[in-house]
Each structure stands twice: as structure tokens, then as C-alpha cells.
Amino acid sequence: MDVKIKLSSKRLNSGRCQVHFQVKARAGNSSWYGYTLAEPNDTVSEVVSRIRNRFSGAEDKISLHQKVLYHMNEQNRVRDDLMIFRAPTP
């Protein structure tokens, strides 16, 4: 799926960045928004790549169910965890 991605972020006290993203399909009216955490050494292109990979191959059928919202054990944390929500239609 070809998508357009818009990012904004804020630095947290932990040093990580909370990244808010908006994704709009270039074909059709589908749009989503979501959040992910970026480590201090992550580049913008790495964050965009994680988001793009989640949407690649999807034909407007993005699963809005989150695999895991919270991890108590850091080693179980998956690097591409994203919280994704369907944007309300106008």
C-alpha cells in the first residue's frame, strides 16, 4: 500500500521520543494515526521504515488490534510495536 506519512514527536524524561504519526493511503480515503517510541539513537528514516513496514502489503486491511500494549520484560519488546487507530472519517 502506497502511503503518505506525517510525523511529530516530543522528548520524554526518559530520553526517548514519543512519535505521533498520521498515515494516509494515496489511493482511497483510508487514514490512520498512532504512536510509537523511538530510542535516542534512532534516526527519522528508521522510524518511518518501521511505520511503512507495518502498512506494506496491506490492502486497506490493517489490523487495529494491538498485539501487546505493555511489556513488563524489556527483552520481550518488539522494535516495531506501533499503536494504530483508524482516523475518524469527516
Side-chain angles (χ1 to χ4, degrees), residues 26-45:
R26 291 192 191 270
N29 295 329
S30 299
S31 59
W32 301 268
Y33 68 96
Y35 301 90
T36 189
L37 287 177
E39 299 296 329
N41 57 349
D42 288 349
T43 65
V44 173
S45 61

Side-chain angles (χ1 to χ4, degrees), residues 14-57:
S14 66
R16 292 178 172 172
C17 286
Q18 178 188 37
V19 179
H20 174 261
F21 57 89
Q22 296 173 329
V23 177
K24 180 160 178 52
R26 291 192 191 270
N29 295 329
S30 299
S31 59
W32 301 268
Y33 68 96
Y35 301 90
T36 189
L37 287 177
E39 299 296 329
N41 57 349
D42 288 349
T43 65
V44 173
S45 61
E46 289 172 339
V47 174
V48 169
S49 178
R50 287 198 318 246
I51 296 167
R52 195 172 298 281
N53 287 341
R54 182 70 178 267
F55 284 85
S56 69

Side-chain angles (χ1 to χ4, degrees), residues 35-36 54 67-68 71 77-83:
Y35 301 90
T36 189
R54 182 70 178 267
K67 297 178 203 171
V68 178
H71 290 292
R77 184 170 172 256
V78 178
R79 289 289 297 154
D80 68 347
D81 274 350
L82 303 169
M83 294 181 67

